[in-house]
Amino acid sequence: MSKTEDAIKTLVEVYLKSAKGKENLGPKDFQKLVEKKLHNIMMDTDNATAVAEMRKGLDDNQDGKVSFQEYMTLMGYLAISLSDHVTSTMGAPSTEQKQDKKEEAE
Ligand SMILES: [Ca+2]
């Protein structure tokens, strides 16, 4: 599998694992996911109040839980914020466009 395919598979697996067989992530499942899996990419992941606020922002159907669709919305936001970063980094005059790859140790 390519790295890209692996990445997509990982996104899905993280959700399924966190949901533990349920259709949605409950508040605690979501808190755990953010805290354990997204702490390098997001701020305040150990702040329960901040994470709860974010959950409410993602919660389209307002059921207090995070569906797969709502989780993908968050992934989309994170991808956009990363691409903004990449764009601004590449905008700087430089002979090399090498970027350090962060490998996440599980
Ligand atoms: Ca929801």
Side-chain angles (χ1 to χ4, degrees):
M1 260 212 275
S2 72
K3 251 189 147 175
T4 306
E5 290 163 330
D6 264 339
I8 295 169
K9 200 174 159 217
T10 301
L11 284 184
V12 176
E13 278 172 1
V14 163
Y15 180 87
L16 293 176
K17 213 177 152 193
S18 304
K20 290 174 276 194
K22 294 171 296 187
E23 249 180 78
N24 293 277
L25 301 179
K28 275 186 189 163
D29 303 324
F30 184 67
Q31 166 78 42
K32 242 193 214 169
L33 187 158
V34 169
E35 208 174 313
K36 296 209 164 144
K37 304 292 184 185
L38 300 171
H39 57 102
N40 293 311
I41 212 173
M42 288 172 64
M43 307 229 299
D44 290 339
T45 55
D46 54 355
N47 179 337
T49 313
V51 174
E53 281 304 312
M54 186 173 65
R55 176 171 45 79
K56 284 175 200 158
L58 291 170
D59 194 3
D60 261 345
N61 62 352
Q62 313 238 310
D63 63 355
K65 293 176 271 185
V66 178
S67 67
F68 187 71
Q69 190 72 45
E70 292 160 355
Y71 164 78
M72 286 314 297
T73 303
L74 172 62
M75 294 302 116
Y77 284 141
L78 294 176
I80 288 166
S81 76
L82 276 182
S83 73
D84 282 349
H85 177 72
V86 170
T87 310
S88 61
T89 307
M90 294 197 331
S94 159
T95 47
E96 271 187 302
Q97 290 197 342
K98 240 192 231 167
Q99 250 211 305
D100 287 341
K101 283 187 188 119
K102 278 180 226 152
E103 299 291 342
E104 195 181 323
E106 287 284 312

